Amino acid sequence: MPKRKDRIEPTDVSGLPSREAVVAFVRSQPGKVGKREIARAFGITGGDKIWLKQLIRDLEDDGILERRRKSLFKAGGLPSMTLADVVARDADGELIAVPAEWDADTLGPAPKILIEATRRPRPGQPAPGVNDRVLMRVQETGDAEGPPYLGRVVKVLEKSRAQVLGIFRPLPGGGGRLVPVEKKAQGREIAIRPGDEGDAREGDLVSATLTSSPRAVVPLARVRERLGSVKSEKAVSLIALVAHGIPHVFPKGVLDEAAGMAPVRLDADGREDWRDLPLLTIDPPDAKDHDDAVHARPDDDPANEGGHVLTVAIADVAAYVRPGSAMDREAQVRGNSVYFPDRVVPMLPERISNDLCSLRPHEDRPALAVRITVGRDGRKIRHSFHRIAMRSAARLAYAQAQAAIDGAPDDVTGPLLEPVLRPLWEAYACVLKAREARDPLALDLPERKIVLKPDGTVDRVLTPERLDAHKLIEEFMILANVAAAEALEKAKVPFVYRAHDEPSLEKMHALGEVLASIAMKLPKSGPVRATLFNRVLKAVDGMEHETFINEVILRTQAQAEYTAENYGHFGLNLRRYAHFTSPIRRYADLIVHRALIRGHGFGPGGLPADTDAGTLAEVAAQISAAERRAMVAERETIDRLIAHHMAEHVGETFTGRISGVTKAGLFVKLAQTGADGFVPAATIGADFYRWDEGTHALVGARTGETFRLGDTVEVKLVEAAPIAGALRFELLSEGSAGTPSGTGPGGRRSGLREGGPRRSKGPKQKGFRDRPKGGATKVKVKRKR
């Protein structure tokens, strides 16, 4: 056998494998590969194993192979069979994974693996999802821009390992502790062992994976990702974005596509020229995306004396965002824009939402318009849709338009008052008659608006006045939405409805019990209509129970949703309804625009011909979930901001109202700020308290002392947790007199319970929140309608 040299070339030894052959073998193997496996594969025995050992050492020194836990791999690469963690979805909704074991310090960032969808899942094999651990077969893609690996899942090994979001606090000897951001986890920290903290620093918001049972006395976790510092600007909303998985950074491909957009030709595709019509946009003063404009005039048809012709023009987003494009895919994933007090997370890039599609004054823009003729009683007689070119005559704020009508016009509204604004208000007065005859659900729940300081903290909380200008726009938008639904049904084009079901029998029964407790009756038979609730609301108007009954009726309502199947809109008292008026910020509206374009033959940008009700049902479910996700994230952000504001007032006394009643205690909403806090039942009075679900009350077993939903109370703030958005109160008021509840199951003893008072999230404010240009939230942030 020839004498070995310090370095072995591929042709040095006849009959032995070349360097290239050994490297190719290592790359091809799905499992563990070491000297033994290579020797067995190439038939290397005896003294030739010394040569093989030297060859492997040379390949490692040259950076071609690397050793990880006694196994060999191509340097910087992945074995063909890889253990991986599914970490995210890309802009197309495809799953992305990273190797479970990867030395980032030595090799740099872990390579991403695009998971190839399985056409025929194996029976009994669960589909992979984000946070799962999987075994997959991978291969290099050769794609310099996308993920370098393509993988096919062989087996899901571990479904959704528990993830926790929290604030990292380091310890002197290494490691640290994690303070969870969830309300229900307050008071219980999680330990991070030395070496498991990654690159997290003091005050960082991190995502961590639990490595022990969450029920352990001291749970353990490993930091998975550093998300940013809570000391940074807009950190409060960042917590909600990460906690709820809301996409807030546009992929490069989406931004590039938007940046490459040029204004559409307004003289093409049969678009009508309406640029001489003085359409107005009326929005909040800080709005940037103006997607609707209105106009009205008296009808000159002698057969419709006292009637009006209304025009509602909506930004033609479909002219820019085409089905299947990068922007379209991203918009569908987002579902809607999300509005926080400190930021807006738009559905579409600013190039589209704030520029090309925004109906700026005195600038030509493409739009979809509906012309609606109403009679003197406000009822719609006819409507027609048009694809137009328009030029907004002015951009007005609500208060600015209202001031002009009330006798205080300014330089902008003065010239518009008689020719444009006055006819709008006259048409509104007419439309209002039809609204009153329709009698939609008329809940009276005050909205609050948070005003922030320059540093992002709360300055004050306001209850803005609801003006006729707001109501005018709302009614015009409802008319346009109804017209869209009717037009699409007539054209037999599939689309997404906005539906709101009637309350369930169980909720109606519970409402009947509540009304009986204040000596009111609910009819036991007959159809359930919004009018029924309005009669109850009118009966309690001005009474001590007014707010309480408004709250209970709100909670009786079902949740409005998007659906491909029509079942009407209970709250608005309409047989059919769709969202047409806000395509810049709602994907459902964009679908309706595309359906109208297809149904009326308006040219390019229409709904694809192969889109059917089944496809739209899936999309409707997805965007309904995105809407609910946004609602929760907005509410939690408001809670955190107000809790941060209230932390400076611990020990002070406040007036509030009981906004929720559970076995665990009372939720109290403060009158001035709208802040929500919790009073543990264990800290109330000197009695046993039974939860009466039917009357939404805690009732003393011995004294009959009663604390009921809607009661006004005095409380002292004893604890504020800004990161979780949680407040804890001590109840200072006595309850009202009532009938003793007795003791037994469900009774809750006052005083400290073992383990301390339980903290939990407040009750979900479900139900009817379906104004056409924005959700009617209990706390209103500075946002586009």
Side-chain angles (χ1 to χ4, degrees):
M1 184 173 291
K3 183 179 179 181
R4 305 293 188 220
K5 299 180 182 179
D6 289 340
R7 298 187 61 81
I8 307 295
E9 297 300 325
T11 56
D12 278 348
V13 181
S14 177
L16 292 177
S18 67
R19 290 161 57 96
E20 289 79 4
V22 171
V23 172
F25 173 75
V26 171
R27 290 181 57 184
S28 68
Q29 296 307 295
K32 174 184 175 182
V33 179
K35 185 179 71 174
R36 180 183 301 175
E37 286 73 27
I38 297 173
R40 185 181 297 120
F42 291 101
I44 299 174
T45 60
D48 288 341
K49 290 184 178 181
I50 300 175
W51 168 86
L52 176 60
K53 183 177 181 180
Q54 179 64 45
L55 175 63
I56 293 172
R57 184 178 296 115
D58 290 344
L59 292 171
E60 290 184 63
D61 291 343
D62 292 344
I64 298 173
L65 293 181
E66 64 186 42
R67 188 181 301 273
R68 302 179 211 154
R69 296 189 177 182
K70 298 184 179 181
S71 294
L72 295 169
F73 300 89
K74 176 191 172 186
L78 298 177
S80 62
M81 193 68 75
T82 296
L83 187 67
D85 292 328
V86 184
V87 294
R89 289 184 182 273
D90 66 8
D92 297 328
E94 302 292 340
L95 291 171
I96 298 294
V98 295
E101 298 178 356
W102 185 263
D103 186 358
D105 292 337
T106 303
L107 303 172
K112 293 182 178 179
I113 308 167
L114 176 65
I115 298 180
E116 186 178 6
T118 303
R119 294 181 180 178
R120 295 181 179 179
R122 294 167 54 190
Q125 176 67 26
V130 175
N131 297 328
D132 290 352
R133 174 160 287 189
V134 298
L135 182 66
M136 59 170 47
R137 191 178 298 277
V138 302
Q139 63 184 46
E140 294 184 29
T141 63
D143 187 351
E145 296 183 0
Y149 289 92
L150 180 67
R152 181 179 290 274
V153 174
V154 175
K155 187 176 183 180
V156 177
L157 301 176
E158 192 175 343
K159 288 292 291 180
S160 298
R161 292 168 301 129
Q163 303 290 315
V164 62
L165 195 66
I167 308 302
F168 179 72
R169 305 296 185 194
L171 295 175
R177 54 193 178 88
L178 195 67
V179 182
V181 301
E182 290 189 53
K183 288 183 181 179
K184 63 183 180 181
Q186 283 303 292
R188 192 178 193 198
E189 296 182 347
I190 297 171
I192 306 292
R193 288 173 170 169
D196 285 345
E197 66 269 35
D199 60 352
R201 298 189 291 270
E202 167 67 32
D204 279 351
L205 174 67
V206 301
S207 172
T209 301
L210 288 176
T211 57
S212 69
S213 169
R215 296 185 177 88
V217 177
V218 181
L220 300 175
R222 179 177 63 251
V223 172
R224 177 171 165 266
E225 184 180 5
R226 176 177 176 268
L227 303 166
S229 173
V230 292
K231 299 177 183 178
S232 63
E233 186 182 3
K234 301 181 180 179
V236 175
S237 55
L238 175 64
I239 294 174
L241 290 172
V242 175
H244 295 283
I246 297 175
H248 60 284
V249 177
F250 284 107
K252 183 177 182 299
V254 174
L255 294 175
D256 289 346
E257 185 176 270
M261 286 287 176
V264 298
R265 288 185 56 187
L266 298 181
D267 58 352
D269 303 319
R271 195 179 292 273
E272 301 176 44
D273 191 345
W274 288 18
R275 282 175 283 192
D276 290 336
L277 187 68
L279 289 153
L280 301 178
T281 62
I282 306 178
D283 293 292
D286 56 347
K288 295 181 179 179
D289 51 337
H290 306 277
D291 53 8
D292 57 87
V294 294
H295 178 268
R297 62 172 175 83
D299 191 359
D300 54 13
D301 184 354
N304 188 31
E305 184 178 355
H308 292 78
V309 178
L310 286 55
T311 300
V312 177
I314 307 298
D316 190 357
V317 177
Y320 293 99
V321 183
R322 298 299 175 88
S325 65
M327 282 193 293
D328 179 55
R329 294 193 300 268
E330 180 71 11
Q332 183 176 335
V333 169
R334 295 186 176 216
N336 48 256
S337 297
V338 187
Y339 296 87
F340 298 105
D342 60 349
R343 77 167 87 194
V344 175
V345 180
M347 184 181 79
L348 296 168
E350 288 191 6
R351 169 65 172 159
I352 301 297
S353 61
N354 294 359
D355 185 3
L356 293 176
C357 286
S358 187
L359 305 182
R360 296 173 174 173
H362 314 300
E363 294 186 17
D364 295 347
R365 289 290 185 269
L368 275 182
V370 57
R371 180 167 281 164
I372 303 170
T373 301
V374 298
R376 65 189 308 163
D377 60 356
R379 296 181 185 274
K380 182 168 66 67
I381 297 174
R382 70 184 71 90
H383 65 260
S384 60
F385 280 88
H386 309 261
R387 204 172 195 185
I388 68 168
M390 63 161 285
R391 182 184 296 136
S392 171
R395 177 180 61 200
L396 305 181
Y398 286 116
Q400 183 183 18
Q402 188 68 54
I405 290 294
D406 292 342
D410 57 22
D411 292 341
V412 176
T413 57
L416 299 170
L417 180 56
E418 295 303 327
V420 183
L421 287 173
R422 195 78 70 189
L424 275 172
W425 256 255
E426 291 171 354
Y428 166 62
C430 186
V431 169
L432 196 57
K433 297 176 186 177
R435 182 191 187 280
E436 291 171 351
R438 193 176 80 245
D439 201 19
L441 186 60
L443 291 169
D444 182 17
L445 295 168
E447 298 180 352
R448 291 180 173 84
K449 177 180 178 180
I450 293 180
V451 179
L452 301 180
K453 300 175 184 176
D455 64 358
T457 59
V458 175
D459 181 24
R460 60 193 184 279
V461 180
L462 305 176
T463 303
E465 180 184 3
R466 185 159 162 75
L467 306 170
D468 282 345
H470 294 101
K471 300 173 186 177
L472 181 153
I473 294 297
E474 180 175 307
E475 291 306 316
F476 277 40
M477 297 304 116
I478 290 175
L479 277 171
N481 288 336
V482 171
E486 292 178 353
L488 290 173
E489 284 187 347
K490 183 178 180 180
K492 293 182 169 44
V493 177
F495 67 101
V496 172
Y497 290 90
R498 179 64 168 181
H500 180 222
D501 207 354
E502 65 181 38
S504 65
L505 291 175
E506 292 79 8
K507 289 187 175 182
M508 290 298 295
H509 177 71
L511 175 62
E513 291 183 346
V514 172
L515 294 177
S517 71
I518 59 172
M520 294 185 66
K521 291 185 178 180
L522 193 67
K524 295 183 179 180
S525 61
V528 179
R529 297 280 186 266
T531 300
L532 174 66
F533 295 107
N534 290 339
R535 289 174 185 165
V536 174
L537 294 169
K538 186 176 181 180
V540 299
D541 187 22
M543 298 173 58
E544 61 174 326
H545 303 298
E546 179 182 3
T547 301
F548 164 52
I549 295 301
N550 270 269
E551 289 276 6
V552 173
I553 289 180
L554 172 66
R555 298 177 190 209
T556 302
Q557 305 308 306
Q559 176 73 54
E561 65 177 353
Y562 296 108
T563 172
E565 180 182 356
N566 182 34
Y567 54 84
H569 199 295
F570 178 84
L572 292 175
N573 202 7
L574 293 167
R575 293 182 179 178
R576 57 191 59 81
Y577 194 64
H579 273 170
F580 159 72
T581 54
S582 296
I584 287 178
R585 63 182 184 83
R586 291 189 305 225
Y587 194 75
D589 302 53
L590 180 55
I591 293 175
V592 169
H593 275 232
R594 289 171 175 166
L596 288 167
I597 292 169
R598 171 173 150 186
H600 290 79
F602 283 155
L607 198 67
D610 59 353
T611 302
D612 56 19
T615 302
L616 291 180
E618 295 179 6
V619 175
Q622 180 181 348
I623 59 181
S624 292
E627 178 189 40
R628 291 190 290 271
R629 174 183 68 185
M631 289 165 55
V632 174
E634 290 171 6
R635 185 177 68 239
E636 289 181 357
T637 299
I638 290 168
D639 288 345
R640 290 188 175 100
L641 281 168
I642 293 183
H644 187 276
H645 174 66
M646 295 296 293
E648 302 174 359
H649 302 279
V650 171
E652 296 182 19
T653 300
F654 301 92
T655 299
R657 183 172 46 81
I658 296 177
S659 60
V661 182
T662 70
K663 292 180 180 180
L666 306 172
F667 293 92
V668 175
K669 181 184 291 291
L670 301 187
Q672 186 175 1
T673 62
D676 284 297
F678 186 61
V679 179
T683 66
I684 301 174
D687 202 346
F688 294 86
Y689 288 88
R690 180 190 295 275
W691 177 46
D692 189 330
E693 185 176 8
T695 60
H696 298 266
L698 286 181
V699 183
R702 178 175 54 82
T703 63
E705 183 181 32
T706 300
F707 298 95
R708 185 166 53 189
L709 184 71
D711 285 354
T712 298
V713 293
E714 294 290 320
V715 294
K716 182 171 76 172
L717 178 61
V718 295
E719 182 183 358
I723 294 300
L727 302 175
R728 185 163 62 87
F729 296 132
E730 176 186 342
L731 188 62
L732 303 179
S733 300
E734 294 183 355
S736 59
T739 303
S741 65
T743 57
R748 191 166 291 277
R749 188 178 186 274
S750 64
L752 291 177
R753 299 200 314 270
E754 184 177 352
R758 170 186 165 192
R759 299 185 181 96
S760 64
K761 288 182 66 176
K764 294 180 180 179
Q765 300 294 331
K766 293 177 62 178
F768 174 61
R769 58 188 311 276
D770 202 21
R771 293 183 177 169
K773 296 191 69 182
T777 57
K778 302 304 288 302
V779 178
K780 183 179 179 183
V781 300
K782 290 183 70 175
R783 56 174 286 181
K784 168 72 177 172
R785 297 185 309 276

